């Protein structure tokens, strides 16, 4: 049996030996794992983290996109063989185990109550699956027990008062012992509270324990898997699975960056034989980050203006305000261009009408000028002909005079 080490010492071992931080398998979510296939490979229990694996951080309800995968996980293993181990619910921070009870009722599976944080709670996990921790109890049952005693005492007191009323009133001198007695109205009572079924302890099984440890943190979940492997006699009894597609990836971002740098994104050779049980989605196309020129490009701002602007002053950011100003300027330019176009069309129509009118006036003036010139030419021709005829007439008159 290995020595129980505190969590800081185990984390220090992970820093000194980074290969301990390498998980056996990597999966995007719990929905990318073939749980029934791993169950067929001999793994008979699951230890799973809470935050960013099945719920959001600081929440008890199941993350809605993980609901089908969670049901598949619970159906692949017997009741009580899926254990939730978290450093929030059920830990020393959870006074009285209220958070563990609420999480148990929300998820439908036991939550481990442990004093030492992960990864130093390996002994408690092994003791739970060995049946040494007994049947899990909840605070709800402890609270309901005295309430039921009080309710029974109230029922007995009510029965005593009802008996006195029948002796002194119903069968007494007030009612005279009538044949059809009048019964007093009984106060309405709420139905007795139903006791929530406590999760059953895992049945004792002669088969050796083989665990699946699922989590998103390497310093807690993967190191927990390495510690559990030391508690189990058979080698290769623990398979560590890291989930990478997190609902809230900004949680403890510096520690995640340190984990990724120490492990370099690698996994152990032991997990290669089980890689067929993890579905790998095709990678998304890599979009290069925009350059400074593209960020300052007005068209890029118009395409991606950022979050919408509301009346709240916090929404008045530089990028959306610039995008709105550019859109407004573009609309103003479009309206101005349309107005200039309409004015230009109307001006062209006016110029065309003026040119047609001027052409008609010029044609008429030319016709009048040609007619006047022709009339003047005819008048000059007649005058010349008259001048030529005038000497012949004077000569004929002189001949007559001489004769």
């Amino acid at each position: 049996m290995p020595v129980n080490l505190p969590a800081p010492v185990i984390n220090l071992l992970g820093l000194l030996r980074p290969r301990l931080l390498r998980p056996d398998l990597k999966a995007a979510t719990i929905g990318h794992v073939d749980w029934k296939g791993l169950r067929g490979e001999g793994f008979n229990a699951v230890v799973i983290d809470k935050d960013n694996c099945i719920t959001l951080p600081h929440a008890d309800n199941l993350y809605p996109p993980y609901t089908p995968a969670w049901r598949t996980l619970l159906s692949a293993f017997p009741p009580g063989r899926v254990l939730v181990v978290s450093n929030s619910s059920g830990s020393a921070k959870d006074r009285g185990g209220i958070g563990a009870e609420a999480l148990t009722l929300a998820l439908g599976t036991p939550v481990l109550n442990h004093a030492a944080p992960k990864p130093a709670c390996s002994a408690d996990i092994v003791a739970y699956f060995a049946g040494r921790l007994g049947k899990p109890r909840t605070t709800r049952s402890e609270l309901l027990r005295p309430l039921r005693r009080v309710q029974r005492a109230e029922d007995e007191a009510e029965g005593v008062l009802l008996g006195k009323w029948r002796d002194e009133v119903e069968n007494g001198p007030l009612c005279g012992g009538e044949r059809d007695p009048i019964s007093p109205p009984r106060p309405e009572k709420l139905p007795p509270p139903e006791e929530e079924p406590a999760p059953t302890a895992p049945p004792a099984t002669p088969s050796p324990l083989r665990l699946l440890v699922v989590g998103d943190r390497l310093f807690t979940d993967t190191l927990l898997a390495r510690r559990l492997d030391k508690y189990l006699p058979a080698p290769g009894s623990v398979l560590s699975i890291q989930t990478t597609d997190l609902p809230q990836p900004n949680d403890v971002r510096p520690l995640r960056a340190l984990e990724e740098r120490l492990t370099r994104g690698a996994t152990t050779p032991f997990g290669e034989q089980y890689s067929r049980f993890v579905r790998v989605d095709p990678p998304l196309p890599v979009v290069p980050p925009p350059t400074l020129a593209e960020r300052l490009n007005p068209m890029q701002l118009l395409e991606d203006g950022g979050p919408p602007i509301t009346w709240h002053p916090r929404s008045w950011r530089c990028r959306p305000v610039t995008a709105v100003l550019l859109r407004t300027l573009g609309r103003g330019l479009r309206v101005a261009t349309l107005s200039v176009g309409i004015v230009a069309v109307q001006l062209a129509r006016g110029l065309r009408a003026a040119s047609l009118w001027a052409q008609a006036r010029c044609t008429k003036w030319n016709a009048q000028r040609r007619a006047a010139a022709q009339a003047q030419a005819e008048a000059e021709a007649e005058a010349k002909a008259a001048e030529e005829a005038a000497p012949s007439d004077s000569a004929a008159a002189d001949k007559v005079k001489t004769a």
Side-chain angles (χ1 to χ4, degrees):
M1 186 67 67
V3 180
N4 290 331
L5 298 178
V9 176
I10 302 176
N11 292 331
L12 181 60
L13 291 177
L15 285 174
L16 298 178
R17 303 173 63 186
R19 62 183 181 86
L20 296 177
L21 298 174
R22 295 179 179 178
D24 299 321
L25 291 176
K26 285 189 176 184
T29 63
I30 60 174
H32 291 73
V33 182
D34 184 7
W35 301 107
K36 294 183 179 180
L38 291 175
R39 180 73 174 90
E41 290 292 319
F43 294 97
N44 50 21
V46 178
V47 175
I48 189 168
D49 188 22
K50 165 188 171 292
D51 296 333
N52 273 325
C53 284
I54 49 181
T55 68
L56 294 176
H58 311 292
D60 294 334
N61 296 327
L62 185 66
Y63 188 50
Y66 296 166
T67 301
W70 180 246
R71 293 175 180 173
T72 304
L73 172 60
L74 293 182
S75 63
F77 293 89
R81 304 295 289 187
V82 178
L83 181 65
V84 178
V85 182
S86 174
N87 276 345
S88 55
S89 299
S91 65
K93 304 175 185 178
D94 184 13
R95 301 296 181 183
I98 301 299
E101 181 186 0
L103 188 61
T104 299
L105 297 177
L107 300 180
T109 191
V111 177
L112 181 67
N113 288 313
H114 52 96
K118 294 190 298 183
C121 57
S122 307
D124 296 335
I125 296 175
V126 174
Y128 167 79
F129 286 111
R132 295 195 298 269
L133 296 184
K135 182 179 179 181
R137 60 183 180 83
T138 60
T139 310
R140 184 182 297 269
S141 60
E142 297 178 357
L143 294 176
L144 290 178
R145 193 176 298 113
L147 291 178
R148 290 196 179 94
R149 289 199 299 265
V150 173
Q151 187 176 9
R152 285 196 297 270
E154 290 179 352
D155 292 341
E156 293 175 0
E158 184 181 354
V160 172
L161 292 177
L162 182 60
K164 287 184 178 181
W165 186 87
R166 287 177 176 174
D167 294 338
E168 298 176 1
V169 178
E170 180 180 350
N171 300 324
L174 295 180
C175 295
E178 295 182 357
R179 184 175 299 176
D180 298 329
I182 302 175
S183 300
R186 295 178 62 88
E188 295 183 0
K189 295 194 305 180
L190 296 177
E194 298 180 359
E195 184 177 358
E196 297 290 342
T200 59
T205 173
S207 60
L209 182 64
R210 300 193 65 189
L211 287 174
L212 297 173
V213 181
V214 186
D216 62 309
R217 294 288 312 281
L218 302 182
F219 273 108
T220 56
D221 303 307
T222 304
L223 286 180
L224 175 64
R226 302 294 170 255
R227 294 294 298 175
L228 287 171
D229 200 8
K230 296 181 179 298
Y231 279 86
L232 301 181
S237 300
V238 180
L239 184 68
S240 174
I241 303 176
Q242 180 194 9
T243 56
T244 57
D245 191 3
L246 310 179
Q248 291 186 4
N250 294 330
D251 187 23
V252 292
R253 182 183 289 271
L255 291 179
R256 296 186 190 277
L258 177 61
E259 294 171 349
E260 189 67 21
R261 185 175 182 83
L262 290 175
T263 60
R264 299 179 181 179
T267 57
T268 61
F270 172 69
E272 294 180 359
Q273 56 182 328
Y274 301 106
S275 59
R276 65 183 185 275
F277 297 105
V278 177
R279 187 181 81 247
V280 179
D281 295 335
L284 297 176
V286 179
V287 179
T291 61
L292 181 61
E294 292 176 349
R295 292 180 180 178
L296 298 178
N297 188 8
M299 299 305 298
Q300 183 70 21
L301 289 175
L302 290 177
E303 292 177 0
D304 184 15
I309 296 179
T310 61
W311 291 106
H312 200 281
R314 291 187 177 180
S315 64
W316 301 346
R317 305 290 179 86
C318 178
R319 190 176 184 86
V321 168
T322 306
V324 169
L325 292 178
L326 289 177
R327 291 192 185 98
T328 306
L329 181 60
R331 292 175 183 175
L333 290 177
R334 285 197 297 270
V335 172
T337 304
L338 183 60
S339 303
V340 170
I342 293 175
V343 171
V345 169
Q346 297 297 330
L347 182 61
R349 290 180 180 177
L351 291 176
R352 184 173 179 274
S355 63
L356 292 177
W357 178 82
Q359 184 180 1
R361 295 295 296 177
C362 291
T363 303
K364 184 178 179 181
W365 181 75
N366 290 332
Q368 292 177 356
R369 188 169 59 82
R370 284 195 298 270
Q374 185 178 2
Q376 184 178 0
E378 292 178 355
E380 291 178 355
E382 291 179 357
K384 187 176 181 180
E387 290 178 356
E388 292 178 354
S392 60
D393 293 342
S394 60
D398 292 339
K399 289 181 178 180
V400 172
K401 288 180 179 179
T402 55

